[in-house]
């Protein structure tokens, strides 16, 4: 109640004065499910609920000026609400949730392969990169994104939204795509991705067992992001292959 002192005496209101809660700060203002968030403000008496974009969260009413809450499962980016016995207050700003990648398939494939990512909070993803190169992608739903591998270099996928960056734990491995063709002058050209430096070239005159492969000792050049070998076949027909040379 409110009491007023007058020359005649004291006057006290019949009803109590209710102090409405006021939410001023969120620290931090972005996070992931399970993160702790400190809510600063005033009037946090008898707090009955804290909600992140409408989803109830567990919390501790530390004082009349502070609440510690845990980001709940299933939440998306949105305002934070504090409810007390006296009223409700809503944050002026948005609490942003990082996207979560639970899996992606396949884990390997050629340059240009289509990859499907599954997870949570994909609707506000604004950019996706692979090995620091922008990826062409489609947000299929809040839980799925379809992307195209843009380069022939293995690496992680990175998702961007207003909260920040989420990097996949697994690496997408780009499988070598071997190209072969003859030039107009009759030279044989073999090409494969530049991130496969252990490949070497060998040849054999026949695939009839026992097959004996002979190292061509060809010089490897980097041409347009591809490792390139040029040979000039002579004499009888030959079969060529690329093989791994493991470090000693």
């Amino acid at each position: 109640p409110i009491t007023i002192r007058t020359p005649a005496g004291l006057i006290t209101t019949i009803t109590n004065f209710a102090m409405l809660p006021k939410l001023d700060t969120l620290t931090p203002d972005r996070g992931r499910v399970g993160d702790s968030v400190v809510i600063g403000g005033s009037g946090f008496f008898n707090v009955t609920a804290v909600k992140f974009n409408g989803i109830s969260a567990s919390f501790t009413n530390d004082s009349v000026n502070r609440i510690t809450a845990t980001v709940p499962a299933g939440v998306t980016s949105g305002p934070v609400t504090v409810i007390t016995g006296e009223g409700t207050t809503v944050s002026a700003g948005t609490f942003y949730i990082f996207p979560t990648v639970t899996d992606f398939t396949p884990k390997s494939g050629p340059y240009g392969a289509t990859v499907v990512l599954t997870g949570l909070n994909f609707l506000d993803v604004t950019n996706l990169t692979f090995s620091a190169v922008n990826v062409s992608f489609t947000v299929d739903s809040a839980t799925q994104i379809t992307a195209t591998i843009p380069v022939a270099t293995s690496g992680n996928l990175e998702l961007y939204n207003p909260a920040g960056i989420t990097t996949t734990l697994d690496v997408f491995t780009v499988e070598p795509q071997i190209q072969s063709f003859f030039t107009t002058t009759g030279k044989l050209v073999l090409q494969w991705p530049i991130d496969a430096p252990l490949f070497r070239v060998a040849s054999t005159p026949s695939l009839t067992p026992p097959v004996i492969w002979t190292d061509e000792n060809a010089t490897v050049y980097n041409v347009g992001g591809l490792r390139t070998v040029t040979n000039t076949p002579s004499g009888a027909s030959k079969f060529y292959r690329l093989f791994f040379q493991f470090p000693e």
Side-chain angles (χ1 to χ4, degrees):
I2 297 176
T3 300
I4 302 174
R5 184 183 297 274
T6 71
L10 300 177
I11 301 174
T12 302
T13 59
I14 297 175
T15 58
N16 292 330
F17 175 81
M19 183 175 180
L20 297 177
K22 182 175 181 291
L23 197 162
D24 294 325
T25 60
L26 297 172
T27 308
D29 63 355
R30 61 201 63 205
R32 295 178 170 83
V33 172
D35 287 352
S36 292
V37 179
V38 175
I39 303 170
S42 58
F44 295 158
F45 298 98
N46 303 317
V47 177
T48 58
V50 174
K51 296 183 178 181
F52 285 74
N53 202 23
I55 304 296
S56 294
S58 61
F59 67 92
T60 302
N61 196 165
D62 304 321
S63 69
V64 296
N65 303 113
R66 171 180 166 136
I67 297 169
T68 301
T70 301
V71 180
V75 71
T76 56
S77 298
V80 175
T81 302
V82 174
I83 302 173
T84 70
E86 285 71 36
T88 300
T89 180
V90 181
S91 63
T94 296
F95 185 86
Y96 291 105
I97 303 294
F98 286 89
T100 299
V101 179
T102 55
D103 195 15
F104 67 85
T105 55
K107 295 291 191 302
S108 63
Y111 157 76
T114 297
V115 176
V116 177
L117 297 90
T118 54
L120 301 169
N121 301 310
F122 289 165
L123 291 181
D124 57 357
V125 170
T126 56
N127 193 29
L128 198 157
T129 63
F130 174 72
S131 294
V133 178
N134 288 334
V135 172
S136 173
F137 70 97
T138 302
V139 178
D140 305 316
S141 68
T143 59
Q144 179 174 299
I145 288 176
T146 301
T148 302
I149 299 301
V151 293
T153 303
S154 300
N156 300 87
L157 290 150
E158 295 181 322
L159 288 73
Y160 295 73
N161 82 343
I165 305 172
T166 293
T167 303
T168 58
L169 296 177
D170 293 328
V171 170
F172 181 89
T173 301
V174 177
E175 298 172 346
Q177 287 179 290
I178 302 172
Q179 305 178 54
S180 64
F181 56 90
F182 283 96
T183 66
T184 55
T185 57
K187 291 185 177 182
L188 173 64
V189 178
L190 299 173
Q191 292 182 322
W192 62 95
I194 201 168
D195 66 339
L198 299 179
F199 273 122
R200 298 188 67 179
V201 181
S203 66
T204 183
S206 173
L207 295 179
T208 302
V211 179
I212 300 175
W213 294 96
T214 302
D215 191 345
E216 285 289 311
N217 293 319
T219 302
V220 180
Y221 301 93
N222 294 333
V223 179
L226 295 171
R227 295 193 181 273
T228 302
V229 169
T230 301
N231 280 356
T232 303
S234 60
S237 299
K238 283 185 178 181
F239 297 90
Y240 291 87
R241 75 170 182 180
L242 296 179
F243 68 98
F244 279 110
Q245 180 184 23
F246 291 97
E248 298 180 356

